[in-house]
Each structure stands twice: as C-alpha cells, then as structure tokens.
Amino acid sequence: MAARKHHYVPQCYLKLFSVSHKKIPQLTVFDRERKKVYKAGIDNVAAQRDFNAIDVEGMDADAFEKSMSGFETELADALQRVVVARSLANEEDRAFLLNLVGLTAMRNPRLRETIRSGHEQVARLIMDQVLSSKEMYESQVKKVREAGGLPESNKTSYEEMKRFVEGGQYELTLDNTFQVGQEMRVFDKILPLIFQRGWILLRAPENSGGFITSDHPFCLFWTDPKRRGGFYSPGLGLRGTEIRFTISPRLALVGAFELKNGDVDVSEESVAGVNGGVIALAEAQVYARDQNFHYAMQPDEPLQKASRLITDKRFLLHRGEEE
C-alpha cells in the first residue's frame, strides 16, 4: 500500500536536530499556530498528505515519492559524514548538501500556495474579461465546446456564471502532477545558482545551545540588514544576497556570490543571529533538539532564550521575507 504522508523536509535531515526516543527520534517543536511547545517524532512534522503524489499514465502514484526516498538514503549518509568531519572538503557530500538546499527552496507548501494563488489571480482576471459582456461569454463558451472542453449538457447561462464569479465563493486548485513537474523544472534552473555561490561552514561553540531548523529551512536574505523587510524581495540570482541553511545543532551554511569557500568557528551571538533568521522564515513550526538554544531577531538585540520564543510576538505574528 502506497504511503500517503510525504515529507517536504526530509526525515534524515530532521533527525540531525532530534534526540533518541524509542523507535522514532523526537524534536522539540515550537508551533506558531497552536502557540505551544511540545515533543513530536520526526515522522509527524514537515509532512503533507500526498505531497509527492503524481497522476501519470503507466506510473504508480507514489513513483516520485519513491525516487525521492532513494535520493534521501544517499543524502542521509552524506549528511552524517559532514557532521562527523565538520567540513565540506568531500565534494560529493557537499553536492548532496547543496542539492538539499535547492530542494527545500523549491519544494514546500508555501511556494505551492504562492504559485496557486498567482494562477488564481490570473484566472479571475480572465473570467472578468470573458464576462465583460454576454456576447463575449457566449463566444468563448462556443470555442471551448467546439474544442471538446465543455460537454453539450453544460448549459450554464451568462447570468448564472456572472453571479457565481462575482460571488467569489470558489478557489482554483492546481493538479499535483503539474506542481511536482514545475518544481523539478525550476529546480534544474536554480541549482547552478546555488553551486555558483561561495559557501562558508559555520561551526558553533561546543558549549553553545546550537543551531535550530524549521518547516522551511531554506533562508534567503539581503546581506545588508537595512534592505530586509523592504518592498523588493531577495532573489536567488542576485548579488548582495545570502542563503542560510542550518545542517545540525553544531553546523550551518552561509552562501553568497561574494564569498569564497571556507569554514569558521563562530560565537554564540552569531549562532543566535542565524537562529533568528530561521525563526523569521519558518512557516508554522521551529524545530530544535531541546530548549537550550538562543536566538536574536535583530543584529543589536540581546540574546533571547528559547523559552521566550513561544510568547515572542515576532514569531507568533510575523513571517519574514518570502523567498
């Protein structure tokens, strides 16, 4: 029987931020929507029913999910080697990690909803044009019917359709197969932009509360803090932008076109700043090994304890820059 719960953030990645617990490793979850902190298995977070399901003739609905599982098996080994080595010297492991960065950038519910709502806006504009007059509507219906896109039994009148559209009580949905295909096509386009950046591996102090992650671990910011939160969002191909991606409680990545590859030991203040970015761009949940981490949402603010997060209005009411 095909699995229906599909993870858009791989479990092998989430496991690095977890603690052992019976059969399933557990995370400490800070949930914006439920306004509470609780423990959850890595199998029960960052997942959505049939997220990877496809409808292609001659293929199983879970064919793409199975192909992702194959990639994640190799990814798990690569991530473990990076964590143990505390280095990106192994080019193959580095490539797996950067592929994960790209996949989390393009394959997530937030971006799917952005694409869906964009199509819906276009569809509403088209319908407004089609319904601008009865003659226009009937002309378009005739063309669609002649093309085989509308059965003869459908006799919806201009007046009925106009009332329905103006009522606004409908939502456009996109076929999941289309979404998956679109994501992978765009992924192929953006992956070179990720590899072209210089990447610095950040290593947290041994006594640090460590890095955290979320249900949207890909974080893209303007490098200049003054540009963040403005009208223009950062883009993957733009200079003056940086990608932040936490790997484990002890390791994180920063990537920018202006950087050279390297690694650096960072302070607890720097760890807190990275965590602040993770929190700002989380969709609904932040994940950590425990409640011992610190965060800072602004460059000049004092370190905040994890225990404050679930009551921090900036987490509860605000999501930062979109990708």
Side-chain angles (χ1 to χ4, degrees):
M1 184 175 179
R4 305 297 300 274
K5 184 192 292 183
H6 299 165
H7 284 77
Y8 48 87
V9 179
Q11 291 187 73
C12 65
Y13 166 73
L14 294 172
K15 185 178 180 180
L16 298 176
F17 296 86
S18 70
V19 294
S20 298
H21 181 77
K22 297 180 181 179
K23 291 184 179 181
I24 305 296
Q26 279 194 337
L27 297 160
T28 298
V29 180
F30 296 77
D31 195 308
R32 169 190 282 122
E33 294 177 350
R34 298 172 65 180
K35 298 183 180 180
K36 63 186 296 186
V37 183
Y38 54 90
K39 300 284 189 180
I42 60 173
D43 58 333
N44 282 325
V45 298
Q48 194 173 89
R49 183 179 175 86
D50 294 333
F51 187 78
N52 289 323
I54 58 173
D55 183 12
V56 178
E57 187 175 353
M59 297 180 69
D60 293 335
D62 62 346
F64 184 73
E65 169 69 5
K66 288 179 178 178
S67 71
M68 290 298 296
S69 296
F71 163 76
E72 289 168 16
T73 298
E74 295 186 79
L75 171 66
D77 293 337
L79 289 174
Q80 286 294 340
R81 288 191 293 267
V82 169
V83 168
V84 171
R86 291 168 59 87
S87 167
L88 295 179
N90 184 308
E91 287 295 322
E92 186 174 348
D93 292 345
R94 179 177 178 274
F96 270 106
L97 180 55
L98 295 187
N99 270 269
L100 172 62
V101 172
L103 285 169
T104 56
M106 296 311 307
R107 307 197 65 254
N108 57 77
R110 183 191 304 177
L111 190 55
R112 282 198 180 180
E113 174 55 23
T114 298
I115 293 170
R116 186 208 65 80
S117 62
H119 278 76
E120 183 174 88
Q121 290 175 23
V122 171
R124 289 179 185 271
L125 290 173
I126 292 173
M127 286 305 299
D128 286 343
Q129 180 64 30
V130 169
L131 292 168
S132 61
S133 69
K134 186 174 183 178
E135 292 74 21
M136 173 68 79
Y137 173 74
E138 292 178 347
S139 171
Q140 293 301 311
V141 168
K142 181 180 179 182
K143 289 179 181 179
V144 173
R145 185 168 282 131
E146 289 174 349
L150 191 67
E152 288 292 337
S153 58
N154 190 311
K155 301 293 186 180
T156 305
S157 70
Y158 168 75
E159 290 76 16
E160 290 172 327
M161 181 59 74
K162 191 172 180 65
R163 282 196 300 272
F164 172 76
V165 171
E166 289 179 347
Q169 301 301 308
Y170 65 93
E171 180 179 274
L172 177 81
T173 59
L174 293 180
D175 178 75
N176 211 58
T177 305
F178 168 80
Q179 290 273 50
V180 170
Q182 186 79 352
E183 287 162 0
M184 296 314 297
R185 283 189 291 272
V186 176
F187 171 74
D188 288 339
K189 300 288 187 183
I190 63 115
L191 193 60
L193 298 175
I194 292 174
F195 273 78
Q196 287 166 19
R197 290 172 180 256
W199 290 93
I200 294 180
L201 185 68
L202 308 181
R203 297 186 296 229
E206 286 301 321
N207 61 350
S208 165
F211 295 110
I212 60 176
T213 190
S214 78
D215 53 0
H216 191 276
F218 175 82
C219 300
L220 178 63
F221 295 97
W222 291 110
T223 302
D224 182 357
K226 294 179 181 178
R227 300 190 67 182
R228 297 174 192 168
F231 182 76
Y232 296 103
S233 297
L236 267 171
L238 297 178
R239 300 185 72 82
T241 63
E242 63 183 43
I243 296 171
R244 299 179 193 171
F245 191 90
T246 56
I247 303 170
S248 74
R250 291 283 168 263
L251 301 174
L253 279 178
V254 174
F257 293 111
E258 296 83 1
L259 294 176
K260 292 184 179 180
N261 293 334
D263 49 66
V264 61
D265 295 318
V266 296
S267 66
E268 180 70 354
E269 287 74 17
S270 294
V271 173
V274 172
N275 288 344
V278 171
I279 292 165
L281 293 187
E283 180 64 23
Q285 296 178 335
V286 166
Y287 310 128
R289 180 179 51 192
D290 50 41
Q291 294 195 54
N292 293 324
F293 66 87
H294 292 93
Y295 70 93
M297 304 291 280
Q298 298 295 332
D300 56 350
E301 80 174 26
L303 301 191
Q304 306 296 317
K305 293 182 178 180
S307 58
R308 280 208 60 223
L309 180 57
I310 204 61
T311 57
D312 192 324
K313 291 183 179 180
R314 295 170 299 179
F315 173 55
L316 297 176
L317 302 177
H318 173 68
R319 187 175 70 211
E321 297 167 316
E322 300 288 336
E323 66 266 34

